[in-house]
Amino acid sequence: GDGQNLVTEDVTVVEGDVATISCRVKNSDDSVIQLLNPNRQTIYFRDFRPLKDSRFQLVNFSNSELRVSLTNVSISDEGRYFCQLYTDPPQEIYTTITVLVPPRNLVIDVQKEIAVEGEEIELNCTAMASRPATTIRWFKGNKELTGKSEVEQWSDMYTVTSRLVLKVGREDDGVPVICLVDHPAVKDLQTQRYLEVMYKPQVRVSQNYPVQGLTREGEPLELTCAAFGKPQPTDMRWLRVDDEMPQHVVVSGSNLLISNLNKTDNGTYRCEASNAVGKSHADYMLFVY
């Protein structure tokens, strides 16, 4: 077949790097080897370079190989390069140079800087001007999520935008959302944004005294209310559900104190806390023995 005595390999190179083209002869008979560019102009004829492009340099020349390097490769260098052997008839094979372009930059765009728990937010990640088109992957913490990608082509470059819709909860506050690129020209390219999620208070009532055991008539009772939220709750209050607060109950800040329990104190005591997002409560049921 045509070019049976010639061997070469395809070359894939990142833009700006060096491509090396090798034309090899299996069984040399001292025939002339030459290398042509995609326009079929001679780059090298033996060890002579007729083409006035100094980015092409001779790496190795012998009877059995012509090896040429091309520095600072650009997209315009892409295409088929021909190895020719001046036998009778001449033999020819081609090698293809493919140029990869890493994404220029990676940007996450958040539709809302601060979200409220239960809300859906939209994030967009854009990888500019790469070749081939980038694959974009999303992670929340270390859990992979699925976005929806769109590819735009500008001449021979691709810009990819991936859209992620995320329903956020309080556990997402401070968690990074990571946009990561899969591309043959680049390793470990990623960018991240930290989620900021507002949530209504979480309220907890604990019994300080008696530490354990029964709430007995004549003894004291002390309760404490703790509330956490984002923003931090400013307003906290104690009330008695379905009844008036007994006269002798002392409330100071988050603490509720009854110094001398009696049966009329029986009931449900509620601590309420609120912030800009909403209001929550926790209940304590008192039964006096």
Side-chain angles (χ1 to χ4, degrees):
D2 199 15
Q4 65 203 355
N5 203 15
L6 280 167
V7 191
T8 187
E9 291 86 29
D10 287 342
V11 181
T12 298
V13 64
V14 175
E15 182 185 43
D17 286 358
V18 179
T20 303
I21 305 168
S22 168
C23 300
R24 295 187 304 287
V25 182
K26 281 189 273 194
N27 306 307
S28 173
D29 60 358
D30 297 346
S31 299
V32 170
I33 313 173
Q34 75 164 343
L35 176 64
L36 312 177
N37 71 9
N39 300 326
R40 298 193 83 88
Q41 298 164 299
T42 302
I43 301 170
Y44 269 94
F45 180 89
R46 306 186 62 126
D47 55 354
F48 172 67
R49 191 187 76 219
L51 198 68
K52 297 280 176 279
D53 185 344
S54 60
R55 293 184 309 140
F56 288 100
Q57 293 290 328
L58 198 58
V59 179
N60 183 35
F61 170 70
S62 69
N63 283 342
S64 57
E65 184 184 41
L66 171 61
R67 196 179 331 151
V68 175
S69 68
L70 167 58
T71 52
N72 195 16
V73 172
S74 75
I75 286 182
S76 56
D77 296 318
E78 235 185 28
R80 286 181 175 182
Y81 289 73
F82 301 91
C83 296
Q84 279 186 346
L85 191 59
Y86 269 74
T87 49
D88 185 21
Q91 297 176 45
E92 179 180 283
I93 55 170
Y94 66 84
T95 170
T96 305
I97 291 185
T98 304
V99 180
L100 307 175
V101 181
R104 293 284 183 249
N105 58 354
L106 197 60
V107 189
I108 294 184
D109 206 32
V110 184
Q111 156 210 34
K112 253 184 144 167
E113 288 299 324
I114 300 174
V116 174
E117 63 176 337
E119 222 177 11
E120 276 197 342
I121 59 165
E122 187 183 307
L123 299 100
N124 285 286
C125 185
T126 306
M128 306 286 290
S130 75
R131 162 176 201 175
T134 321
T135 301
I136 291 180
R137 297 167 67 193
W138 289 98
F139 293 86
K140 184 178 82 177
N142 49 17
K143 179 173 182 280
E144 185 156 1
L145 307 171
T146 309
K148 197 165 184 284
S149 285
E150 277 185 8
V151 181
E152 272 185 274
Q153 187 176 355
W154 295 90
S155 67
D156 34 23
M157 298 287 221
Y158 299 89
T159 289
V160 180
T161 301
S162 180
R163 176 168 162 265
L164 178 70
V165 176
L166 193 59
K167 188 172 181 174
V168 293
R170 63 182 62 199
E171 68 284 353
D172 296 321
D173 184 47
V175 172
V177 170
I178 299 154
C179 168
L180 179 136
V181 150
D182 261 347
H183 194 273
V186 68
K187 273 215 169 356
D188 303 326
L189 178 61
Q190 60 176 68
T191 184
Q192 62 183 34
R193 289 287 284 268
Y194 288 90
L195 294 171
E196 193 166 340
V197 183
M198 313 269 270
Y199 52 91
K200 66 183 189 180
Q202 287 165 292
V203 186
R204 202 179 71 245
V205 170
S206 47
Q207 179 181 311
N208 293 356
Y209 190 88
V211 181
Q212 276 146 338
L214 302 174
T215 41
R216 292 191 177 90
E217 195 166 26
E219 291 198 351
L221 168 73
E222 190 187 354
L223 304 177
T224 296
C225 179
F228 306 96
K230 185 167 181 174
Q232 196 47 33
T234 43
D235 194 31
M236 192 187 283
R237 65 191 200 102
W238 282 97
L239 53 103
R240 188 178 179 186
V241 181
D242 301 330
D243 211 340
E244 293 287 307
M245 194 70 102
Q247 290 290 306
H248 55 280
V249 170
V250 178
V251 172
S252 82
S254 57
N255 285 17
L256 179 146
L257 180 70
I258 303 176
S259 54
N260 189 350
L261 286 170
N262 70 57
K263 292 199 292 291
T264 62
D265 298 329
N266 283 350
T268 302
Y269 292 81
R270 173 171 294 179
C271 173
E272 277 184 352
S274 57
N275 65 7
V277 180
K279 186 195 278 191
S280 308
H281 67 262
D283 289 349
Y284 173 88
M285 286 181 73
L286 173 62
F287 183 79
V288 178
Y289 292 87

